[in-house]
């Protein structure tokens, strides 16, 4: 089963919003990280890998925590169509 066929765990039903300095970040794709929305290595053995993203300048961002965004790692409102935390896996 490919990573795209796996269903991530819904870690939250609202985005993580904050200002991040310029730099490299790793967004959690599996939903199991205890450092949401960032990867803490909890994906090990679950068939997921984090998504690397970079910010060239300091920026306020809204990062997806439901893991179903169509614009990863950024929130696109997909969480509004999910019913409960934990849905999907």
């Amino acid at each position: 089963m490919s990573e795209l066929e796996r269903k991530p765990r819904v870690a939250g039903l609202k985005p993580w919003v904050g200002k991040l300095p310029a730099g490299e970040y790793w967004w959690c794709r599996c939903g199991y990280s205890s450092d949401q929305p960032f990867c803490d290595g909890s994906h090990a053995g679950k068939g997921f890998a984090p998504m690397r993203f970079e910010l060239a300048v300091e920026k306020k961002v809204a990062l997806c925590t439901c893991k179903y965004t169509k614009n990863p790692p950024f929130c696109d409102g997909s969480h509004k169509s999910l019913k409960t935390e934990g849905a999907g896996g």
Side-chain angles (χ1 to χ4, degrees):
M1 185 180 300
S2 77
E3 186 169 315
L4 292 175
E5 294 172 312
R6 288 182 180 82
K7 300 259 188 217
R9 178 180 168 269
V10 175
L13 294 175
K14 60 184 180 180
W16 178 94
V17 178
K19 189 180 285 189
L20 293 175
E24 175 183 84
Y25 297 92
W26 293 90
W27 177 68
C28 169
R29 285 186 179 169
C30 70
Y32 287 92
S33 174
S34 60
D35 190 25
Q36 288 298 322
F38 306 102
C39 177
D40 70 358
S42 294
H43 62 274
K46 293 179 176 66
F48 287 90
M51 178 183 175
R52 179 187 172 279
F53 71 99
E54 265 188 75
L55 296 176
V57 296
E58 181 177 75
K59 186 176 182 181
K60 184 176 180 180
V61 295
L63 299 177
C64 175
T65 63
C66 80
K67 310 306 172 189
Y68 287 86
T69 181
K70 305 290 187 285
N71 186 31
F74 305 103
C75 177
D76 68 357
S78 292
H79 60 274
K80 295 174 184 172
S81 67
L82 300 174
K83 300 294 182 210
T84 62
E85 279 194 56

